[in-house]
PDB file of all heavy atoms in Angstrom:
ATOM      1  N   ASP A  53     -34.193  77.509-119.947  1.00 85.00           N
ATOM      2  CA  ASP A  53     -32.903  77.318-119.277  1.00 85.00           C
ATOM      3  C   ASP A  53     -32.835  75.972-118.555  1.00 85.00           C
ATOM      4  O   ASP A  53     -31.801  75.665-117.935  1.00 85.00           O
ATOM      5  CB  ASP A  53     -32.664  78.445-118.255  1.00 85.00           C
ATOM      6  CG  ASP A  53     -32.577  79.801-118.939  1.00 85.00           C
ATOM      7  OD1 ASP A  53     -32.105  79.849-120.095  1.00 85.00           O
ATOM      8  OD2 ASP A  53     -32.950  80.814-118.314  1.00 85.00           O
ATOM      9  N   SER A  54     -33.888  75.185-118.610  1.00 85.00           N
ATOM     10  CA  SER A  54     -33.919  73.899-117.921  1.00 85.00           C
ATOM     11  C   SER A  54     -33.258  72.823-118.780  1.00 85.00           C
ATOM     12  O   SER A  54     -32.923  73.046-119.943  1.00 85.00           O
ATOM     13  CB  SER A  54     -35.348  73.502-117.585  1.00 85.00           C
ATOM     14  OG  SER A  54     -36.097  73.354-118.781  1.00 85.00           O
ATOM     15  N   ASP A  55     -33.071  71.641-118.187  1.00 84.00           N
ATOM     16  CA  ASP A  55     -32.440  70.527-118.889  1.00 84.00           C
ATOM     17  C   ASP A  55     -33.364  69.958-119.955  1.00 84.00           C
ATOM     18  O   ASP A  55     -34.602  70.054-119.869  1.00 84.00           O
ATOM     19  CB  ASP A  55     -32.083  69.421-117.894  1.00 84.00           C
ATOM     20  CG  ASP A  55     -31.055  69.874-116.883  1.00 84.00           C
ATOM     21  OD1 ASP A  55     -30.237  70.752-117.233  1.00 84.00           O
ATOM     22  OD2 ASP A  55     -31.063  69.364-115.740  1.00 84.00           O
ATOM     23  N   ASN A  56     -32.779  69.324-120.961  1.00 86.00           N
ATOM     24  CA  ASN A  56     -33.538  68.638-121.979  1.00 86.00           C
ATOM     25  C   ASN A  56     -34.104  67.339-121.401  1.00 86.00           C
ATOM     26  O   ASN A  56     -33.565  66.780-120.451  1.00 86.00           O
ATOM     27  CB  ASN A  56     -32.675  68.319-123.193  1.00 86.00           C
ATOM     28  CG  ASN A  56     -32.293  69.572-123.942  1.00 86.00           C
ATOM     29  OD1 ASN A  56     -33.050  70.522-124.018  1.00 86.00           O
ATOM     30  ND2 ASN A  56     -31.076  69.599-124.498  1.00 86.00           N
ATOM     31  N   GLY A  57     -35.175  66.860-122.008  1.00 87.00           N
ATOM     32  CA  GLY A  57     -35.766  65.598-121.598  1.00 87.00           C
ATOM     33  C   GLY A  57     -36.867  65.722-120.560  1.00 87.00           C
ATOM     34  O   GLY A  57     -37.400  64.697-120.103  1.00 87.00           O
ATOM     35  N   LEU A  58     -37.233  66.942-120.176  1.00 91.00           N
ATOM     36  CA  LEU A  58     -38.266  67.109-119.150  1.00 91.00           C
ATOM     37  C   LEU A  58     -39.616  66.585-119.612  1.00 91.00           C
ATOM     38  O   LEU A  58     -40.367  65.963-118.842  1.00 91.00           O
ATOM     39  CB  LEU A  58     -38.384  68.571-118.737  1.00 91.00           C
ATOM     40  CG  LEU A  58     -37.195  69.197-118.010  1.00 91.00           C
ATOM     41  CD1 LEU A  58     -37.569  70.589-117.488  1.00 91.00           C
ATOM     42  CD2 LEU A  58     -36.708  68.320-116.865  1.00 91.00           C
ATOM     43  N   PHE A  59     -39.954  66.839-120.865  1.00 90.00           N
ATOM     44  CA  PHE A  59     -41.265  66.398-121.362  1.00 90.00           C
ATOM     45  C   PHE A  59     -41.343  64.861-121.385  1.00 90.00           C
ATOM     46  O   PHE A  59     -42.375  64.282-121.012  1.00 90.00           O
ATOM     47  CB  PHE A  59     -41.545  66.972-122.737  1.00 90.00           C
ATOM     48  CG  PHE A  59     -41.827  68.452-122.735  1.00 90.00           C
ATOM     49  CD1 PHE A  59     -41.420  69.254-123.784  1.00 90.00           C
ATOM     50  CD2 PHE A  59     -42.498  69.037-121.672  1.00 90.00           C
ATOM     51  CE1 PHE A  59     -41.679  70.615-123.775  1.00 90.00           C
ATOM     52  CE2 PHE A  59     -42.772  70.398-121.654  1.00 90.00           C
ATOM     53  CZ  PHE A  59     -42.351  71.190-122.714  1.00 90.00           C
ATOM     54  N   GLU A  60     -40.283  64.213-121.821  1.00 90.00           N
ATOM     55  CA  GLU A  60     -40.271  62.750-121.822  1.00 90.00           C
ATOM     56  C   GLU A  60     -40.423  62.216-120.393  1.00 90.00           C
ATOM     57  O   GLU A  60     -41.176  61.266-120.143  1.00 90.00           O
ATOM     58  CB  GLU A  60     -38.971  62.218-122.437  1.00 90.00           C
ATOM     59  CG  GLU A  60     -38.846  62.430-123.927  1.00 90.00           C
ATOM     60  CD  GLU A  60     -38.256  63.802-124.277  1.00 90.00           C
ATOM     61  OE1 GLU A  60     -38.219  64.684-123.389  1.00 90.00           O
ATOM     62  OE2 GLU A  60     -37.824  63.968-125.429  1.00 90.00           O
ATOM     63  N   PHE A  61     -39.748  62.851-119.478  1.00 92.00           N
ATOM     64  CA  PHE A  61     -39.814  62.453-118.069  1.00 92.00           C
ATOM     65  C   PHE A  61     -41.240  62.617-117.544  1.00 92.00           C
ATOM     66  O   PHE A  61     -41.781  61.732-116.844  1.00 92.00           O
ATOM     67  CB  PHE A  61     -38.852  63.327-117.251  1.00 92.00           C
ATOM     68  CG  PHE A  61     -38.847  63.070-115.784  1.00 92.00           C
ATOM     69  CD1 PHE A  61     -38.371  61.860-115.280  1.00 92.00           C
ATOM     70  CD2 PHE A  61     -39.318  64.028-114.890  1.00 92.00           C
ATOM     71  CE1 PHE A  61     -38.377  61.607-113.910  1.00 92.00           C
ATOM     72  CE2 PHE A  61     -39.319  63.786-113.527  1.00 92.00           C
ATOM     73  CZ  PHE A  61     -38.845  62.572-113.035  1.00 92.00           C
ATOM     74  N   MET A  62     -41.881  63.707-117.878  1.00 93.00           N
ATOM     75  CA  MET A  62     -43.242  63.980-117.389  1.00 93.00           C
ATOM     76  C   MET A  62     -44.262  63.035-118.010  1.00 93.00           C
ATOM     77  O   MET A  62     -45.165  62.541-117.322  1.00 93.00           O
ATOM     78  CB  MET A  62     -43.602  65.443-117.684  1.00 93.00           C
ATOM     79  CG  MET A  62     -42.710  66.446-116.964  1.00 93.00           C
ATOM     80  SD  MET A  62     -42.911  68.146-117.578  1.00 93.00           S
ATOM     81  CE  MET A  62     -44.462  68.578-116.803  1.00 93.00           C
ATOM     82  N   VAL A  63     -44.140  62.764-119.308  1.00 93.00           N
ATOM     83  CA  VAL A  63     -45.084  61.865-119.972  1.00 93.00           C
ATOM     84  C   VAL A  63     -44.966  60.454-119.378  1.00 93.00           C
ATOM     85  O   VAL A  63     -45.980  59.792-119.100  1.00 93.00           O
ATOM     86  CB  VAL A  63     -44.849  61.856-121.482  1.00 93.00           C
ATOM     87  CG1 VAL A  63     -45.659  60.743-122.145  1.00 93.00           C
ATOM     88  CG2 VAL A  63     -45.224  63.193-122.098  1.00 93.00           C
ATOM     89  N   LEU A  64     -43.745  59.983-119.170  1.00 93.00           N
ATOM     90  CA  LEU A  64     -43.579  58.645-118.596  1.00 93.00           C
ATOM     91  C   LEU A  64     -44.098  58.593-117.144  1.00 93.00           C
ATOM     92  O   LEU A  64     -44.655  57.570-116.715  1.00 93.00           O
ATOM     93  CB  LEU A  64     -42.105  58.252-118.619  1.00 93.00           C
ATOM     94  CG  LEU A  64     -41.532  57.927-120.013  1.00 93.00           C
ATOM     95  CD1 LEU A  64     -40.102  57.425-119.897  1.00 93.00           C
ATOM     96  CD2 LEU A  64     -42.378  56.907-120.743  1.00 93.00           C
ATOM     97  N   GLU A  65     -43.931  59.664-116.400  1.00 93.00           N
ATOM     98  CA  GLU A  65     -44.498  59.696-115.043  1.00 93.00           C
ATOM     99  C   GLU A  65     -46.014  59.642-115.082  1.00 93.00           C
ATOM    100  O   GLU A  65     -46.640  58.970-114.256  1.00 93.00           O
ATOM    101  CB  GLU A  65     -44.038  60.971-114.336  1.00 93.00           C
ATOM    102  CG  GLU A  65     -42.630  60.908-113.769  1.00 93.00           C
ATOM    103  CD  GLU A  65     -42.523  59.944-112.622  1.00 93.00           C
ATOM    104  OE1 GLU A  65     -43.237  60.111-111.606  1.00 93.00           O
ATOM    105  OE2 GLU A  65     -41.736  58.967-112.734  1.00 93.00           O
ATOM    106  N   LEU A  66     -46.596  60.330-116.038  1.00 94.00           N
ATOM    107  CA  LEU A  66     -48.075  60.289-116.163  1.00 94.00           C
ATOM    108  C   LEU A  66     -48.518  58.874-116.533  1.00 94.00           C
ATOM    109  O   LEU A  66     -49.508  58.379-115.970  1.00 94.00           O
ATOM    110  CB  LEU A  66     -48.533  61.295-117.202  1.00 94.00           C
ATOM    111  CG  LEU A  66     -50.047  61.309-117.509  1.00 94.00           C
ATOM    112  CD1 LEU A  66     -50.845  61.623-116.243  1.00 94.00           C
ATOM    113  CD2 LEU A  66     -50.365  62.312-118.613  1.00 94.00           C
ATOM    114  N   ILE A  67     -47.822  58.249-117.457  1.00 93.00           N
ATOM    115  CA  ILE A  67     -48.177  56.887-117.844  1.00 93.00           C
ATOM    116  C   ILE A  67     -48.025  55.940-116.646  1.00 93.00           C
ATOM    117  O   ILE A  67     -48.875  55.060-116.421  1.00 93.00           O
ATOM    118  CB  ILE A  67     -47.316  56.422-119.032  1.00 93.00           C
ATOM    119  CG1 ILE A  67     -47.658  57.254-120.271  1.00 93.00           C
ATOM    120  CG2 ILE A  67     -47.511  54.941-119.296  1.00 93.00           C
ATOM    121  CD1 ILE A  67     -46.755  56.974-121.468  1.00 93.00           C
ATOM    122  N   ARG A  68     -46.976  56.129-115.883  1.00 92.00           N
ATOM    123  CA  ARG A  68     -46.723  55.250-114.734  1.00 92.00           C
ATOM    124  C   ARG A  68     -47.813  55.414-113.666  1.00 92.00           C
ATOM    125  O   ARG A  68     -48.191  54.449-113.012  1.00 92.00           O
ATOM    126  CB  ARG A  68     -45.353  55.572-114.142  1.00 92.00           C
ATOM    127  CG  ARG A  68     -44.904  54.640-113.016  1.00 92.00           C
ATOM    128  CD  ARG A  68     -43.468  54.892-112.639  1.00 92.00           C
ATOM    129  NE  ARG A  68     -43.287  56.201-112.047  1.00 92.00           N
ATOM    130  CZ  ARG A  68     -43.484  56.468-110.743  1.00 92.00           C
ATOM    131  NH1 ARG A  68     -43.863  55.498-109.930  1.00 92.00           N
ATOM    132  NH2 ARG A  68     -43.271  57.680-110.272  1.00 92.00           N
ATOM    133  N   ARG A  69     -48.332  56.642-113.502  1.00 92.00           N
ATOM    134  CA  ARG A  69     -49.333  56.879-112.460  1.00 92.00           C
ATOM    135  C   ARG A  69     -50.739  57.040-113.036  1.00 92.00           C
ATOM    136  O   ARG A  69     -51.655  57.537-112.351  1.00 92.00           O
ATOM    137  CB  ARG A  69     -48.979  58.154-111.698  1.00 92.00           C
ATOM    138  CG  ARG A  69     -47.645  58.107-110.975  1.00 92.00           C
ATOM    139  CD  ARG A  69     -47.511  59.356-110.125  1.00 92.00           C
ATOM    140  NE  ARG A  69     -46.264  60.060-110.386  1.00 92.00           N
ATOM    141  CZ  ARG A  69     -45.979  61.265-109.913  1.00 92.00           C
ATOM    142  NH1 ARG A  69     -46.865  61.908-109.196  1.00 92.00           N
ATOM    143  NH2 ARG A  69     -44.825  61.832-110.189  1.00 92.00           N
ATOM    144  N   ALA A  70     -50.940  56.641-114.256  1.00 92.00           N
ATOM    145  CA  ALA A  70     -52.246  56.825-114.909  1.00 92.00           C
ATOM    146  C   ALA A  70     -53.364  56.147-114.159  1.00 92.00           C
ATOM    147  O   ALA A  70     -54.497  56.654-114.103  1.00 92.00           O
ATOM    148  CB  ALA A  70     -52.175  56.307-116.341  1.00 92.00           C
ATOM    149  N   GLY A  71     -53.076  54.985-113.553  1.00 90.00           N
ATOM    150  CA  GLY A  71     -54.112  54.273-112.814  1.00 90.00           C
ATOM    151  C   GLY A  71     -54.679  55.070-111.652  1.00 90.00           C
ATOM    152  O   GLY A  71     -55.864  54.875-111.291  1.00 90.00           O
ATOM    153  N   ASP A  72     -53.893  55.974-111.073  1.00 90.00           N
ATOM    154  CA  ASP A  72     -54.394  56.782-109.956  1.00 90.00           C
ATOM    155  C   ASP A  72     -55.484  57.742-110.397  1.00 90.00           C
ATOM    156  O   ASP A  72     -56.258  58.220-109.554  1.00 90.00           O
ATOM    157  CB  ASP A  72     -53.230  57.573-109.335  1.00 90.00           C
ATOM    158  CG  ASP A  72     -52.151  56.678-108.766  1.00 90.00           C
ATOM    159  OD1 ASP A  72     -52.433  55.484-108.530  1.00 90.00           O
ATOM    160  OD2 ASP A  72     -51.013  57.163-108.600  1.00 90.00           O
ATOM    161  N   PHE A  73     -55.520  58.042-111.671  1.00 91.00           N
ATOM    162  CA  PHE A  73     -56.515  58.985-112.184  1.00 91.00           C
ATOM    163  C   PHE A  73     -57.542  58.295-113.102  1.00 91.00           C
ATOM    164  O   PHE A  73     -58.346  58.972-113.734  1.00 91.00           O
ATOM    165  CB  PHE A  73     -55.807  60.095-112.964  1.00 91.00           C
ATOM    166  CG  PHE A  73     -54.897  60.950-112.124  1.00 91.00           C
ATOM    167  CD1 PHE A  73     -53.593  60.583-111.909  1.00 91.00           C
ATOM    168  CD2 PHE A  73     -55.381  62.096-111.509  1.00 91.00           C
ATOM    169  CE1 PHE A  73     -52.748  61.357-111.127  1.00 91.00           C
ATOM    170  CE2 PHE A  73     -54.538  62.881-110.738  1.00 91.00           C
ATOM    171  CZ  PHE A  73     -53.224  62.499-110.516  1.00 91.00           C
ATOM    172  N   GLY A  74     -57.499  56.961-113.155  1.00 91.00           N
ATOM    173  CA  GLY A  74     -58.440  56.228-113.976  1.00 91.00           C
ATOM    174  C   GLY A  74     -58.241  56.442-115.463  1.00 91.00           C
ATOM    175  O   GLY A  74     -59.185  56.346-116.246  1.00 91.00           O
ATOM    176  N   VAL A  75     -56.990  56.700-115.872  1.00 93.00           N
ATOM    177  CA  VAL A  75     -56.684  56.977-117.270  1.00 93.00           C
ATOM    178  C   VAL A  75     -56.156  55.718-117.954  1.00 93.00           C
ATOM    179  O   VAL A  75     -55.230  55.062-117.440  1.00 93.00           O
ATOM    180  CB  VAL A  75     -55.655  58.123-117.389  1.00 93.00           C
ATOM    181  CG1 VAL A  75     -55.228  58.321-118.828  1.00 93.00           C
ATOM    182  CG2 VAL A  75     -56.222  59.408-116.825  1.00 93.00           C
ATOM    183  N   THR A  76     -56.720  55.387-119.095  1.00 94.00           N
ATOM    184  CA  THR A  76     -56.284  54.235-119.871  1.00 94.00           C
ATOM    185  C   THR A  76     -55.724  54.595-121.246  1.00 94.00           C
ATOM    186  O   THR A  76     -55.163  53.737-121.927  1.00 94.00           O
ATOM    187  CB  THR A  76     -57.438  53.245-120.070  1.00 94.00           C
ATOM    188  OG1 THR A  76     -58.479  53.887-120.812  1.00 94.00           O
ATOM    189  CG2 THR A  76     -57.988  52.780-118.727  1.00 94.00           C
ATOM    190  N   GLN A  77     -55.862  55.851-121.664  1.00 94.00           N
ATOM    191  CA  GLN A  77     -55.358  56.262-122.972  1.00 94.00           C
ATOM    192  C   GLN A  77     -54.991  57.742-122.963  1.00 94.00           C
ATOM    193  O   GLN A  77     -55.638  58.550-122.299  1.00 94.00           O
ATOM    194  CB  GLN A  77     -56.371  55.969-124.082  1.00 94.00           C
ATOM    195  CG  GLN A  77     -57.740  56.560-123.858  1.00 94.00           C
ATOM    196  CD  GLN A  77     -58.752  56.136-124.898  1.00 94.00           C
ATOM    197  OE1 GLN A  77     -58.406  55.535-125.906  1.00 94.00           O
ATOM    198  NE2 GLN A  77     -60.032  56.460-124.656  1.00 94.00           N
ATOM    199  N   LEU A  78     -53.923  58.067-123.707  1.00 93.00           N
ATOM    200  CA  LEU A  78     -53.442  59.434-123.804  1.00 93.00           C
ATOM    201  C   LEU A  78     -53.387  59.845-125.260  1.00 93.00           C
ATOM    202  O   LEU A  78     -52.913  59.081-126.124  1.00 93.00           O
ATOM    203  CB  LEU A  78     -52.026  59.549-123.228  1.00 93.00           C
ATOM    204  CG  LEU A  78     -51.827  59.457-121.724  1.00 93.00           C
ATOM    205  CD1 LEU A  78     -50.342  59.577-121.407  1.00 93.00           C
ATOM    206  CD2 LEU A  78     -52.606  60.540-120.999  1.00 93.00           C
ATOM    207  N   SER A  79     -53.861  61.049-125.543  1.00 93.00           N
ATOM    208  CA  SER A  79     -53.707  61.638-126.872  1.00 93.00           C
ATOM    209  C   SER A  79     -52.621  62.698-126.792  1.00 93.00           C
ATOM    210  O   SER A  79     -52.746  63.665-126.039  1.00 93.00           O
ATOM    211  CB  SER A  79     -55.022  62.277-127.342  1.00 93.00           C
ATOM    212  OG  SER A  79     -54.826  63.029-128.527  1.00 93.00           O
ATOM    213  N   LEU A  80     -51.550  62.493-127.542  1.00 89.00           N
ATOM    214  CA  LEU A  80     -50.428  63.416-127.545  1.00 89.00           C
ATOM    215  C   LEU A  80     -50.518  64.357-128.734  1.00 89.00           C
ATOM    216  O   LEU A  80     -51.596  64.575-129.270  1.00 89.00           O
ATOM    217  CB  LEU A  80     -49.114  62.640-127.534  1.00 89.00           C
ATOM    218  CG  LEU A  80     -48.935  61.703-126.331  1.00 89.00           C
ATOM    219  CD1 LEU A  80     -47.613  60.935-126.429  1.00 89.00           C
ATOM    220  CD2 LEU A  80     -48.985  62.475-125.019  1.00 89.00           C
ATOM    221  N   ASN A  81     -49.407  64.862-129.175  1.00 80.00           N
ATOM    222  CA  ASN A  81     -49.404  65.866-130.240  1.00 80.00           C
ATOM    223  C   ASN A  81     -49.872  65.292-131.578  1.00 80.00           C
ATOM    224  O   ASN A  81     -49.808  64.084-131.824  1.00 80.00           O
ATOM    225  CB  ASN A  81     -48.004  66.462-130.402  1.00 80.00           C
ATOM    226  CG  ASN A  81     -47.785  67.645-129.496  1.00 80.00           C
ATOM    227  OD1 ASN A  81     -48.671  68.457-129.316  1.00 80.00           O
ATOM    228  ND2 ASN A  81     -46.595  67.738-128.919  1.00 80.00           N
ATOM    229  N   PHE A  82     -50.273  66.184-132.431  1.00 82.00           N
ATOM    230  CA  PHE A  82     -50.651  65.873-133.814  1.00 82.00           C
ATOM    231  C   PHE A  82     -49.412  65.975-134.702  1.00 82.00           C
ATOM    232  O   PHE A  82     -48.686  66.961-134.638  1.00 82.00           O
ATOM    233  CB  PHE A  82     -51.732  66.850-134.278  1.00 82.00           C
ATOM    234  CG  PHE A  82     -52.063  66.740-135.738  1.00 82.00           C
ATOM    235  CD1 PHE A  82     -52.773  65.672-136.233  1.00 82.00           C
ATOM    236  CD2 PHE A  82     -51.628  67.715-136.624  1.00 82.00           C
ATOM    237  CE1 PHE A  82     -53.082  65.575-137.583  1.00 82.00           C
ATOM    238  CE2 PHE A  82     -51.935  67.638-137.965  1.00 82.00           C
ATOM    239  CZ  PHE A  82     -52.661  66.561-138.456  1.00 82.00           C
ATOM    240  N   ALA A  83     -49.170  64.963-135.503  1.00 79.00           N
ATOM    241  CA  ALA A  83     -48.025  64.940-136.413  1.00 79.00           C
ATOM    242  C   ALA A  83     -48.514  65.157-137.838  1.00 79.00           C
ATOM    243  O   ALA A  83     -49.086  64.242-138.451  1.00 79.00           O
ATOM    244  CB  ALA A  83     -47.261  63.631-136.305  1.00 79.00           C
ATOM    245  N   MET A  84     -48.323  66.364-138.352  1.00 76.00           N
ATOM    246  CA  MET A  84     -48.774  66.671-139.709  1.00 76.00           C
ATOM    247  C   MET A  84     -47.903  65.938-140.733  1.00 76.00           C
ATOM    248  O   MET A  84     -46.671  65.895-140.592  1.00 76.00           O
ATOM    249  CB  MET A  84     -48.731  68.180-139.947  1.00 76.00           C
ATOM    250  CG  MET A  84     -49.274  68.606-141.291  1.00 76.00           C
ATOM    251  SD  MET A  84     -49.393  70.416-141.431  1.00 76.00           S
ATOM    252  CE  MET A  84     -50.765  70.736-140.350  1.00 76.00           C
ATOM    253  N   PHE A  85     -48.547  65.347-141.737  1.00 76.00           N
ATOM    254  CA  PHE A  85     -47.861  64.640-142.820  1.00 76.00           C
ATOM    255  C   PHE A  85     -46.970  63.516-142.279  1.00 76.00           C
ATOM    256  O   PHE A  85     -45.896  63.238-142.816  1.00 76.00           O
ATOM    257  CB  PHE A  85     -47.037  65.597-143.685  1.00 76.00           C
ATOM    258  CG  PHE A  85     -47.820  66.771-144.224  1.00 76.00           C
ATOM    259  CD1 PHE A  85     -47.471  68.064-143.912  1.00 76.00           C
ATOM    260  CD2 PHE A  85     -48.911  66.560-145.053  1.00 76.00           C
ATOM    261  CE1 PHE A  85     -48.191  69.129-144.412  1.00 76.00           C
ATOM    262  CE2 PHE A  85     -49.640  67.617-145.560  1.00 76.00           C
ATOM    263  CZ  PHE A  85     -49.277  68.918-145.230  1.00 76.00           C
ATOM    264  N   ARG A  86     -47.420  62.862-141.220  1.00 75.00           N
ATOM    265  CA  ARG A  86     -46.649  61.794-140.613  1.00 75.00           C
ATOM    266  C   ARG A  86     -46.315  60.676-141.597  1.00 75.00           C
ATOM    267  O   ARG A  86     -45.186  60.167-141.641  1.00 75.00           O
ATOM    268  CB  ARG A  86     -47.429  61.229-139.427  1.00 75.00           C
ATOM    269  CG  ARG A  86     -46.652  60.290-138.519  1.00 75.00           C
ATOM    270  CD  ARG A  86     -46.706  58.827-138.912  1.00 75.00           C
ATOM    271  NE  ARG A  86     -48.030  58.350-139.206  1.00 75.00           N
ATOM    272  CZ  ARG A  86     -48.289  57.116-139.614  1.00 75.00           C
ATOM    273  NH1 ARG A  86     -47.325  56.248-139.809  1.00 75.00           N
ATOM    274  NH2 ARG A  86     -49.529  56.747-139.901  1.00 75.00           N
ATOM    275  N   ALA A  87     -47.268  60.300-142.439  1.00 75.00           N
ATOM    276  CA  ALA A  87     -47.051  59.218-143.383  1.00 75.00           C
ATOM    277  C   ALA A  87     -45.940  59.541-144.379  1.00 75.00           C
ATOM    278  O   ALA A  87     -45.218  58.658-144.821  1.00 75.00           O
ATOM    279  CB  ALA A  87     -48.353  58.901-144.127  1.00 75.00           C
TER     280      ALA A  87
END
């Protein structure tokens, strides 16, 4: 029942604050047959 776009908002917030947690790379979802 929540608004769309929450996941995009959360991922960008994590990227923005990644330095606070010593994070330099993120592995997101697996895309089957992406090619």
Side-chain angles (χ1 to χ4, degrees):
D53 296 329
S54 61
D55 296 331
N56 292 325
L58 294 189
F59 288 146
E60 290 86 344
F61 179 67
M62 297 168 76
V63 170
L64 289 185
E65 280 292 301
L66 177 59
I67 293 174
R68 186 172 66 85
R69 298 187 232 171
D72 299 341
F73 296 87
V75 174
T76 62
Q77 55 187 349
L78 288 179
S79 171
L80 300 179
N81 272 320
F82 172 73
M84 184 173 288
F85 306 120
R86 191 271 312 178

